[in-house]
């Protein structure tokens, strides 16, 4: 992989810069969580304790997917199963309070119809994320994606128009992650999944953009019924989707020569529940 492809952006809308880091700069990464925010439990039958210690009195147990409010981050760290995290004071169900280790929280969650998807960053040594699909408090399925050590700063769920494909997947969505890089902070990777009501199926991955000045690029997904206009090299260019296909369009250019542009397209045909590359 060349250096340009390593410098991916975190956001679709514009280019940013990242602080250069030494190799394996993520080794001691601990996710930052905002107090008063809500999280869901990734563990099941989780002990809530009177103080932030493993030998503290257990006040009760809470089920997987239970929503908690983060009241306070303590100074107490615990490492289990290669995950290092702080103990937090949490609240739930009116005035109930206690302490839970942060390694038992999901790092991101979202709803799909009547299901809840829990995402867990299992630590930099495991290089990827894990997920669980819930129906209430029942685990319908679980799995993992392997693709590099990740941070929690750029998790994002993006619904897409699955009805534009035949046969239509029940749900089609993108999930963005921040993948740490050896030479700088990190880059965004977006993963496309379908969901059939029980299982997540990883369909393809792509990168929204990159910039290694003066060389830069930006990319877009074009769906079957879409017509997308972009200003490229001082001209308006229209990209049109094709039946039962996704187009990934990339514009590569030199920042010092705004009129310079090189357009490339990758086409993926929807067939047998998969996106298959078309040459």
């Amino acid at each position: 992989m060349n250096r340009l492809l390593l410098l991916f952006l975190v956001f679709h809308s514009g280019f940013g810069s990242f602080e250069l880091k030494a190799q394996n700069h993520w080794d001691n990464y601990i996710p930052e969580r905002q107090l008063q925010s809500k999280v869901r439990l990734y563990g099941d039958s989780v002990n809530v304790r009177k103080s932030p210690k493993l030998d503290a009195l257990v006040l009760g147990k809470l089920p997987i997917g239970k929503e908690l409010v983060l009241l306070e981050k303590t100074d107490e760290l615990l490492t289990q199963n290669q995950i290092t995290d702080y103990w937090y004071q949490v609240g739930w169900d009116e005035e109930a309070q206690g302490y839970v280790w942060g390694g038992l929280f999901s790092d991101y969650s979202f709803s799909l119809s009547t299901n809840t998807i829990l995402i867990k960053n299992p630590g930099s040594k495991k290089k990827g994320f894990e997920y669980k699909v819930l129906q209430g408090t029942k685990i319908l399925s679980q799995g993992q994606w392997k693709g590099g050590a990740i941070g929690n700063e750029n998790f994002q769920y993006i619904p897409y128009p699955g009805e534009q494909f035949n046969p239509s997947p029940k749900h089609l969505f993108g999930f963005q992650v921040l993948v740490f890089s050896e030479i700088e902070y990190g880059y965004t990777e977006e993963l496309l999944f379908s969901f059939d009501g029980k299982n997540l199926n990883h369909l393809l991955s792509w990168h929204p953009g990159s910039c290694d000045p003066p060389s830069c690029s930006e990319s877009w997904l074009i769906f079957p019924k879409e017509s997308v206009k972009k200003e490229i090299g001082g001209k308006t260019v229209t990209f049109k989707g094709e039946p039962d296909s996704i187009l990934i369009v990339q514009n590569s250019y030199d920042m010092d020569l705004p009129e310079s542009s090189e357009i490339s397209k990758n086409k993926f045909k929807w067939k047998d529940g998969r996106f298959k590359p078309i040459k």
Side-chain angles (χ1 to χ4, degrees):
M1 184 179 291
N2 62 38
R3 188 163 177 248
L4 172 61
L5 293 179
L6 285 172
L7 294 171
F8 295 116
L9 296 178
V10 170
F11 299 104
H12 281 279
S13 58
F15 297 122
S17 61
F18 300 112
E19 180 184 357
L20 293 180
K21 301 283 187 177
Q23 288 190 346
N24 297 347
H25 58 84
W26 55 81
D27 282 350
N28 298 315
Y29 173 83
I30 299 176
E32 290 292 329
R33 297 187 173 92
Q34 185 176 354
L35 296 183
Q36 301 303 317
S37 67
K38 295 179 180 180
V39 298
R40 293 186 181 275
L41 286 176
Y42 194 79
D44 200 8
S45 296
V46 172
N47 289 325
V48 181
R49 299 183 182 274
K50 187 174 182 179
S51 61
K53 297 180 181 180
L54 281 178
D55 58 357
L57 177 67
V58 176
L59 301 176
K61 292 180 179 291
L62 295 176
I64 189 171
K66 180 68 175 179
E67 191 173 73
L68 309 175
V69 177
L70 301 181
L71 301 177
E72 179 185 352
K73 184 181 78 172
T74 75
D75 294 327
E76 299 294 327
L77 280 169
L78 174 66
T79 299
Q80 288 189 326
N81 299 322
Q82 297 181 316
I83 299 176
T84 299
D85 212 324
Y86 292 94
W87 286 83
Y88 286 81
Q89 184 187 42
V90 300
W92 73 99
D93 295 349
E94 297 180 354
E95 296 184 2
Q97 294 183 8
Y99 291 86
V100 175
W101 177 55
L104 296 171
F105 301 152
S106 63
D107 293 300
Y108 189 82
S109 64
F110 57 94
S111 297
L112 282 175
S113 185
T114 60
N115 302 105
T116 301
I117 313 299
L118 304 178
I119 304 295
K120 179 64 182 175
N121 182 351
S124 59
K125 294 181 181 179
K126 296 188 178 181
K127 301 186 186 308
F129 64 81
E130 300 172 352
Y131 63 84
K132 293 177 181 177
V133 179
L134 303 185
Q135 181 72 56
T137 59
K138 179 183 178 182
I139 301 175
L140 298 183
S141 64
Q142 55 190 314
Q144 60 182 347
W145 172 80
K146 292 288 188 181
I150 65 172
N152 292 359
E153 292 87 340
N154 197 43
F155 288 140
Q156 186 178 4
Y157 158 73
I158 305 170
Y160 285 126
E163 68 278 3
Q164 294 187 11
F165 301 93
N166 186 29
S168 173
K170 187 172 182 179
H171 296 280
L172 181 67
F173 67 92
F175 185 63
Q176 289 190 358
V177 296
L178 175 67
V179 182
F180 289 134
S181 168
E182 292 283 2
I183 63 172
E184 87 298 331
Y185 189 69
Y187 62 89
T188 292
E189 184 160 352
E190 183 171 320
L191 319 168
L192 259 66
F193 287 92
S194 63
F195 177 58
D196 60 12
K198 180 179 180 180
N199 298 296
L200 296 182
N201 301 298
H202 180 210
L203 303 174
L204 60 86
S205 301
W206 70 293
H207 304 285
S210 59
C211 204
D212 182 13
S215 299
C216 292
S217 69
E218 51 188 342
S219 301
W220 312 281
L221 291 185
I222 312 294
F223 286 85
K225 296 181 181 181
E226 288 185 336
S227 180
V228 178
K229 293 183 178 181
K230 295 289 182 179
E231 293 296 321
I232 298 176
K235 299 180 181 179
T236 300
V237 181
T238 301
F239 301 99
K240 293 185 177 182
E242 300 182 20
D244 281 330
S245 299
I246 278 182
L247 296 179
I248 300 179
V249 180
Q250 183 181 57
N251 173 35
S252 301
Y253 61 94
D254 189 314
M255 294 180 66
D256 297 330
L257 299 169
E259 69 281 2
S260 68
S261 288
E262 182 177 343
I263 302 295
S264 62
K265 299 179 182 180
N266 289 303
K267 180 179 177 181
F268 296 85
K269 188 76 172 180
W270 178 248
K271 185 176 181 181
D272 300 325
R274 298 287 177 183
F275 284 111
K276 299 183 178 180
I278 304 298
K279 295 183 180 180

